[in-house]
Structures are given as structure tokens and as C-alpha cells.
Amino acid sequence: MRAEKAKKLVLVALGGNALIRKHQTGTLEEQLENLKVPIREIARLSMAYRIIITHGNGPQVGNLQLQQESCSAVPRMPLEILVAQTQGQIGYMIESTLDSELMALGIVTQKYIVSLISYVVVDEQDPAFKHPSKPVGPVYSETQAASLPYPTRKTAKGYRRVVASPKPLTIVEKREIRELIKRDFIVICCGGGGIPVIREGRSFCGVDAVIDKDLASAKLAGEVGVDIFVIATDVKGVALDYGKAGERYLRTLSCREAVVYRELGHFPDGSIWPKIEAGMQFLNSGGQTAVICSIEEIGDAVLGKAGTRIIP
Ligand code: ADP
Ligand code: MG
């Protein structure tokens, strides 16, 4: 028991692409196959570290929205309910994959896994509510978009629904997560950035919004005292001149450099930038190690041998 307590705590934030690759539609078989790679890495890590897993839900919540828009026989559910549904479905996929990978490695003893429906508190006055900017769900034609009951915006792919993306203030279940971690549970939580809620007196009320999963993960990492924060995605780290002739990946990125490079246009909104911001916020909250890496290199990134480390 004593040895367990000395183990460092790693939080791995899995990108939506860990489950559905960009060219895929997201069948169950595809998602389970894709998950094997990062989950095998995490299963190995769990021998030496305590583990929290968070995950994105972009493609899954988009598919649920499309499903409910294709059917008028049952009432539509608001976004917060769809986020809750994705926490359940993805939590189940991660749990079952992790269970198989742990068994394949022969780690069957004393490894308990739990997925937690997680709420994240946001501020009702957050300016994001006045300017919905985060595209979610399916792509529509201009005419279809005009008939929808919510705001849409023209994106590179076509018209999409846009929702507010307020800042995460606190994770409601942080105490439960701390307790589970102390008991060496592997905890899957804050899926899709968490179910966004506002406080109403002593209770909570869900709101139509989505929280960036990297920023929610950084908040959780600070609140539960994570030692190593790993943001795993489909590229091997942070690059300068990404996608251009002179593309080069960075081994480290300081907070000052990040701001300078962003001003120079290296880090666009909504993709790699929230990951860098999340790394910086984790360090600001007292965290030690934040690294952005590919889902194939999670283990090496924890050891400082892969990915881009965000440094003060
Ligand atoms: P996730 O689903 O893991 O959150 P995102 O698609 O939101 O992934 O963000 C990762 C993507 O950011 C990469 O696939 C890459 O295409 C894009 N990207 C944009 N600029 C950069 C950059 N400077 N360095 C690395 N990746 C970048
Ligand atoms: Mg993302």
C-alpha cells in the first residue's frame, strides 16, 4: 500500500482522433481498433504510475447529434445530455480495451478501472456565451443551416452548428477522483471536457455548451495534483511551420516562446493552441511536467524521450 502511494500520478488526455481517425466514419470496430494503440501504452504505464484518463468526444457527439436530427419520433435532447451519453459510451470502450490490454500484459491483480460521469462548472457570465464559436456536429448546406433552431457558422467543411466554449472553473467530482486515485483505481473522467454546468444555489444546472477537453484536463490535473500531464493526439508534438516545407517539431516550448510563436501565426486556434494553453495552465497551477505527444508515444513521452515538453 505504501509503495502505491509513492507512485507518480499521470493524466493522459486522449484526443478524439484516438478513437476515430480523420478519414473514418466511426464504426464500433474502428474505434475499438484505434484505441488499442494508446491504451496499450497506458496499460504498460499503469505498472509504475497511477493513472487518470480523459478524452475528447468531437466525432461521437457529432454522430449523436446527426442521429437525433435524422429522427423525429423521439424528443431531441440538449447538448449536455449528448455529452453525458458520450462519456458513457467512450468510457465503456476505454474500460473494456484497457481491461483486455492489462490482461494481455498479465496485469490482472489489483487493477480497478472506473469511468466517472463528470460535471465541470463554468461561469454563467463567461463572455463565450455571447459569442458561440465552437463548431459541433454535422456539416449542413446553407439552406439546411438556415432552418436549424440554433446558430450556425460557415467553416472550411461547410455550415456547422456553433456553441459557446466557456472556460472550465472547477471539476465537480475532484474529491471523488482523488479518493479513487489514492486507492489505485485507474479513473476515466472529464470526457468531452465534462458536462458543462452552472451553479444554482447549492445545485447545478446543465448548459448548452462544450468545454475544451484539454483545458478541462489541465484544470483537473491542477486540482488533483497530477505529476505528469500528457496530451496525446495524432501528431508527434508541437511544430513550427506545421504542414509547410520547413516544418520542424520542437522538443521543448517555453511559455514565452509559445506566445511569440503564436503571434507569428504558428499555432492556429482550436487545434494545437488549446493543448499548449493547457500545458501552460498546468504549470501555472504548480504542475511539474506537461508534454504534447502522439498516441503511439505516450510511454516515451512520460520518460521525456518523445513529444514536446512545455516548460516555464
Ligand atoms: P485532438 O482531437 O487530439 O484534440 P486536434 O485535431 O484538435 O486533435 O489538434 C491536433 C491537430 O492540430 C493536429 O492533427 C494538427 O493537424 C493540428 N496542428 C495545427 N497546427 C499545429 C502545429 N503547429 N503543430 C502541431 N500540430 C498542429
Ligand atoms: Mg481538439
Side-chain angles (χ1 to χ4, degrees), residues 62 98 106:
L98 188 52

Side-chain angles (χ1 to χ4, degrees), residues 122-287:
V122 300
D123 181 357
E124 205 176 351
Q125 304 299 330
D126 192 306
F129 285 108
K130 291 214 171 71
H131 307 283
S133 62
K134 169 94 181 154
V136 291
V139 178
Y140 305 98
S141 71
E142 194 175 352
T143 342
Q144 283 171 319
S147 67
L148 292 170
Y150 27 68
T152 56
R153 206 178 65 190
K154 194 175 176 182
T155 69
K157 298 180 196 163
Y159 284 81
R160 294 180 74 196
R161 175 180 184 188
V162 281
V163 296
S165 189
K167 290 199 171 55
L169 297 183
T170 188
I171 313 305
V172 174
E173 295 79 9
K174 53 186 172 292
R175 290 169 210 86
E176 289 85 340
I177 296 169
R178 279 192 213 114
E179 280 305 312
L180 289 165
I181 285 299
K182 259 195 232 159
R183 292 167 192 229
D184 206 32
F185 277 78
I186 297 177
V187 184
I188 304 161
C189 57
C190 284
I195 302 166
V197 295
I198 52 171
R199 276 186 212 279
E200 280 194 346
R202 289 181 57 86
S203 57
F204 298 105
C205 171
V207 286
D208 237 13
V210 291
I211 302 169
D212 183 90
K213 74 107 182 27
D214 297 313
L215 298 181
S217 303
K219 180 57 76 176
L220 172 66
E223 290 188 327
V224 302
V226 161
D227 297 292
I228 306 173
F229 177 28
V230 181
I231 304 174
T233 184
D234 60 348
V235 286
K236 61 183 181 185
V238 178
L240 295 182
D241 287 317
Y242 176 75
K244 298 183 189 153
E247 175 183 284
R248 57 216 180 271
Y249 279 88
L250 303 169
R251 291 291 291 122
T252 60
L253 176 66
S254 76
C255 297
R256 266 191 49 204
E257 288 167 338
V259 173
V260 173
Y261 290 139
R262 175 160 162 85
E263 274 165 16
L264 294 170
H266 289 282
F267 309 140
D269 282 345
S271 57
I272 203 74
W273 181 245
K275 300 185 195 315
I276 299 171
E277 239 188 325
M280 296 196 294
Q281 287 180 11
F282 174 64
L283 298 183
N284 280 336
S285 68

Side-chain angles (χ1 to χ4, degrees), residues 7 25 53 86 116 198 241:
K7 276 187 191 172
T25 53
I53 302 171
T86 63
L116 210 68
I198 52 171
D241 287 317

Side-chain angles (χ1 to χ4, degrees), residues 44-59:
R44 284 201 197 103
L45 275 179
S46 74
M47 293 194 262
Y49 298 90
R50 293 175 296 153
I51 305 281
I52 296 175
I53 302 171
T54 63
H55 59 84
N57 71 347

